[in-house]
PDB file of all heavy atoms in Angstrom:
ATOM      1  N   GLY A 280     188.275 128.885-140.916  1.00 96.00           N
ATOM      2  CA  GLY A 280     189.219 128.090-140.152  1.00 96.00           C
ATOM      3  C   GLY A 280     190.295 127.333-140.887  1.00 96.00           C
ATOM      4  O   GLY A 280     190.855 126.394-140.328  1.00 96.00           O
ATOM      5  N   GLY A 282     193.916 127.399-141.999  1.00 93.00           N
ATOM      6  CA  GLY A 282     195.252 127.970-142.036  1.00 93.00           C
ATOM      7  C   GLY A 282     195.431 129.276-141.296  1.00 93.00           C
ATOM      8  O   GLY A 282     194.521 129.810-140.657  1.00 93.00           O
ATOM      9  N   LEU A 287     189.600 132.639-137.643  1.00 97.00           N
ATOM     10  CA  LEU A 287     189.823 132.059-136.327  1.00 97.00           C
ATOM     11  C   LEU A 287     191.275 132.224-135.899  1.00 97.00           C
ATOM     12  O   LEU A 287     191.568 132.626-134.765  1.00 97.00           O
ATOM     13  CB  LEU A 287     189.441 130.579-136.327  1.00 97.00           C
ATOM     14  CG  LEU A 287     187.947 130.243-136.283  1.00 97.00           C
ATOM     15  CD1 LEU A 287     187.751 128.747-136.500  1.00 97.00           C
ATOM     16  CD2 LEU A 287     187.336 130.672-134.952  1.00 97.00           C
ATOM     17  N   TYR A 288     192.185 131.897-136.792  1.00 97.00           N
ATOM     18  CA  TYR A 288     193.606 131.983-136.451  1.00 97.00           C
ATOM     19  C   TYR A 288     194.010 133.433-136.201  1.00 97.00           C
ATOM     20  O   TYR A 288     194.675 133.738-135.203  1.00 97.00           O
ATOM     21  CB  TYR A 288     194.452 131.387-137.569  1.00 97.00           C
ATOM     22  CG  TYR A 288     195.890 131.155-137.169  1.00 97.00           C
ATOM     23  CD1 TYR A 288     196.321 129.898-136.769  1.00 97.00           C
ATOM     24  CD2 TYR A 288     196.812 132.207-137.168  1.00 97.00           C
ATOM     25  CE1 TYR A 288     197.635 129.695-136.385  1.00 97.00           C
ATOM     26  CE2 TYR A 288     198.121 132.015-136.781  1.00 97.00           C
ATOM     27  CZ  TYR A 288     198.535 130.752-136.389  1.00 97.00           C
ATOM     28  OH  TYR A 288     199.822 130.548-135.994  1.00 97.00           O
ATOM     29  N   LEU A 291     191.989 134.723-132.815  1.00 97.00           N
ATOM     30  CA  LEU A 291     192.079 134.036-131.528  1.00 97.00           C
ATOM     31  C   LEU A 291     193.461 133.470-131.228  1.00 97.00           C
ATOM     32  O   LEU A 291     193.845 133.375-130.063  1.00 97.00           O
ATOM     33  CB  LEU A 291     191.041 132.918-131.456  1.00 97.00           C
ATOM     34  CG  LEU A 291     189.574 133.345-131.614  1.00 97.00           C
ATOM     35  CD1 LEU A 291     188.662 132.152-131.405  1.00 97.00           C
ATOM     36  CD2 LEU A 291     189.225 134.472-130.659  1.00 97.00           C
ATOM     37  N   ALA A 292     194.214 133.088-132.255  1.00 96.00           N
ATOM     38  CA  ALA A 292     195.576 132.592-132.038  1.00 96.00           C
ATOM     39  C   ALA A 292     196.584 133.728-132.102  1.00 96.00           C
ATOM     40  O   ALA A 292     197.413 133.905-131.206  1.00 96.00           O
ATOM     41  CB  ALA A 292     195.913 131.516-133.056  1.00 96.00           C
ATOM     42  N   ALA A 298     193.926 130.960-127.989  1.00 97.00           N
ATOM     43  CA  ALA A 298     193.840 129.605-128.548  1.00 97.00           C
ATOM     44  C   ALA A 298     195.216 129.149-129.001  1.00 97.00           C
ATOM     45  O   ALA A 298     196.024 129.946-129.496  1.00 97.00           O
ATOM     46  CB  ALA A 298     192.879 129.573-129.727  1.00 97.00           C
ATOM     47  N   GLN A 299     195.479 127.869-128.839  1.00 97.00           N
ATOM     48  CA  GLN A 299     196.736 127.312-129.318  1.00 97.00           C
ATOM     49  C   GLN A 299     196.770 127.356-130.844  1.00 97.00           C
ATOM     50  O   GLN A 299     195.824 126.899-131.500  1.00 97.00           O
ATOM     51  CB  GLN A 299     196.894 125.874-128.834  1.00 97.00           C
ATOM     52  CG  GLN A 299     197.040 125.729-127.329  1.00 97.00           C
ATOM     53  CD  GLN A 299     197.332 124.306-126.921  1.00 97.00           C
ATOM     54  OE1 GLN A 299     197.910 123.534-127.675  1.00 97.00           O
ATOM     55  NE2 GLN A 299     196.941 123.944-125.702  1.00 97.00           N
ATOM     56  N   PRO A 300     197.824 127.863-131.442  1.00 95.00           N
ATOM     57  CA  PRO A 300     197.843 128.031-132.899  1.00 95.00           C
ATOM     58  C   PRO A 300     197.784 126.728-133.688  1.00 95.00           C
ATOM     59  O   PRO A 300     197.322 126.715-134.826  1.00 95.00           O
ATOM     60  CB  PRO A 300     199.164 128.773-133.155  1.00 95.00           C
ATOM     61  CG  PRO A 300     199.989 128.546-131.934  1.00 95.00           C
ATOM     62  CD  PRO A 300     199.036 128.425-130.798  1.00 95.00           C
ATOM     63  N   ASP A 301     198.239 125.640-133.104  1.00 93.00           N
ATOM     64  CA  ASP A 301     198.250 124.369-133.834  1.00 93.00           C
ATOM     65  C   ASP A 301     196.928 123.611-133.734  1.00 93.00           C
ATOM     66  O   ASP A 301     196.765 122.576-134.385  1.00 93.00           O
ATOM     67  CB  ASP A 301     199.370 123.470-133.311  1.00 93.00           C
ATOM     68  CG  ASP A 301     200.751 124.032-133.613  1.00 93.00           C
ATOM     69  OD1 ASP A 301     200.863 124.818-134.571  1.00 93.00           O
ATOM     70  OD2 ASP A 301     201.698 123.700-132.882  1.00 93.00           O
ATOM     71  N   TYR A 302     195.999 124.106-132.914  1.00 94.00           N
ATOM     72  CA  TYR A 302     194.758 123.362-132.699  1.00 94.00           C
ATOM     73  C   TYR A 302     193.561 124.293-132.797  1.00 94.00           C
ATOM     74  O   TYR A 302     192.783 124.445-131.864  1.00 94.00           O
ATOM     75  CB  TYR A 302     194.786 122.655-131.339  1.00 94.00           C
ATOM     76  CG  TYR A 302     195.904 121.644-131.224  1.00 94.00           C
ATOM     77  CD1 TYR A 302     197.090 121.976-130.575  1.00 94.00           C
ATOM     78  CD2 TYR A 302     195.786 120.383-131.796  1.00 94.00           C
ATOM     79  CE1 TYR A 302     198.126 121.060-130.486  1.00 94.00           C
ATOM     80  CE2 TYR A 302     196.813 119.466-131.717  1.00 94.00           C
ATOM     81  CZ  TYR A 302     197.980 119.808-131.063  1.00 94.00           C
ATOM     82  OH  TYR A 302     199.006 118.897-130.981  1.00 94.00           O
ATOM     83  N   ILE A 303     193.428 124.916-133.960  1.00 97.00           N
ATOM     84  CA  ILE A 303     192.294 125.797-134.195  1.00 97.00           C
ATOM     85  C   ILE A 303     191.905 125.673-135.661  1.00 97.00           C
ATOM     86  O   ILE A 303     192.770 125.630-136.536  1.00 97.00           O
ATOM     87  CB  ILE A 303     192.631 127.261-133.821  1.00 97.00           C
ATOM     88  CG1 ILE A 303     191.389 128.139-133.916  1.00 97.00           C
ATOM     89  CG2 ILE A 303     193.768 127.813-134.657  1.00 97.00           C
ATOM     90  CD1 ILE A 303     191.574 129.503-133.277  1.00 97.00           C
ATOM     91  N   GLY A 304     190.620 125.561-135.946  1.00 97.00           N
ATOM     92  CA  GLY A 304     190.215 125.412-137.335  1.00 97.00           C
ATOM     93  C   GLY A 304     188.733 125.165-137.474  1.00 97.00           C
ATOM     94  O   GLY A 304     187.980 125.099-136.493  1.00 97.00           O
ATOM     95  N   ALA A 305     188.297 125.023-138.726  1.00 97.00           N
ATOM     96  CA  ALA A 305     186.902 124.729-139.043  1.00 97.00           C
ATOM     97  C   ALA A 305     186.869 123.902-140.322  1.00 97.00           C
ATOM     98  O   ALA A 305     187.694 124.094-141.219  1.00 97.00           O
ATOM     99  CB  ALA A 305     186.107 126.019-139.227  1.00 97.00           C
ATOM    100  N   THR A 320     186.702 124.105-134.069  1.00 98.00           N
ATOM    101  CA  THR A 320     187.380 123.588-132.883  1.00 98.00           C
ATOM    102  C   THR A 320     188.560 124.460-132.505  1.00 98.00           C
ATOM    103  O   THR A 320     189.210 125.065-133.372  1.00 98.00           O
ATOM    104  CB  THR A 320     187.850 122.133-133.105  1.00 98.00           C
ATOM    105  OG1 THR A 320     188.434 121.632-131.901  1.00 98.00           O
ATOM    106  CG2 THR A 320     188.864 122.044-134.220  1.00 98.00           C
ATOM    107  N   ALA A 321     188.810 124.546-131.210  1.00 98.00           N
ATOM    108  CA  ALA A 321     189.962 125.302-130.709  1.00 98.00           C
ATOM    109  C   ALA A 321     190.346 124.762-129.342  1.00 98.00           C
ATOM    110  O   ALA A 321     189.503 124.290-128.580  1.00 98.00           O
ATOM    111  CB  ALA A 321     189.641 126.791-130.618  1.00 98.00           C
ATOM    112  N   THR A 322     191.648 124.859-129.025  1.00 98.00           N
ATOM    113  CA  THR A 322     192.188 124.426-127.743  1.00 98.00           C
ATOM    114  C   THR A 322     192.759 125.645-127.011  1.00 98.00           C
ATOM    115  O   THR A 322     193.446 126.473-127.621  1.00 98.00           O
ATOM    116  CB  THR A 322     193.303 123.384-127.950  1.00 98.00           C
ATOM    117  OG1 THR A 322     192.784 122.294-128.716  1.00 98.00           O
ATOM    118  CG2 THR A 322     193.814 122.862-126.618  1.00 98.00           C
ATOM    119  N   LEU A 332     187.555 131.344-124.155  1.00 98.00           N
ATOM    120  CA  LEU A 332     187.733 130.800-125.497  1.00 98.00           C
ATOM    121  C   LEU A 332     186.381 130.599-126.180  1.00 98.00           C
ATOM    122  O   LEU A 332     186.215 130.935-127.366  1.00 98.00           O
ATOM    123  CB  LEU A 332     188.493 129.475-125.437  1.00 98.00           C
ATOM    124  CG  LEU A 332     188.715 128.800-126.791  1.00 98.00           C
ATOM    125  CD1 LEU A 332     189.513 129.691-127.734  1.00 98.00           C
ATOM    126  CD2 LEU A 332     189.408 127.449-126.613  1.00 98.00           C
ATOM    127  N   LEU A 336     185.217 132.295-129.676  1.00 97.00           N
ATOM    128  CA  LEU A 336     184.724 131.557-130.849  1.00 97.00           C
ATOM    129  C   LEU A 336     183.388 132.120-131.302  1.00 97.00           C
ATOM    130  O   LEU A 336     183.148 132.313-132.507  1.00 97.00           O
ATOM    131  CB  LEU A 336     184.592 130.072-130.511  1.00 97.00           C
ATOM    132  CG  LEU A 336     185.896 129.290-130.347  1.00 97.00           C
ATOM    133  CD1 LEU A 336     185.614 127.895-129.781  1.00 97.00           C
ATOM    134  CD2 LEU A 336     186.637 129.175-131.671  1.00 97.00           C
TER     135      LEU A 336
END
Side-chain angles (χ1 to χ4, degrees):
L287 283 172
Y288 193 98
L291 301 185
Q299 294 186 28
D301 294 336
Y302 299 99
I303 187 167
T320 184
T322 304
L332 179 60
L336 289 170

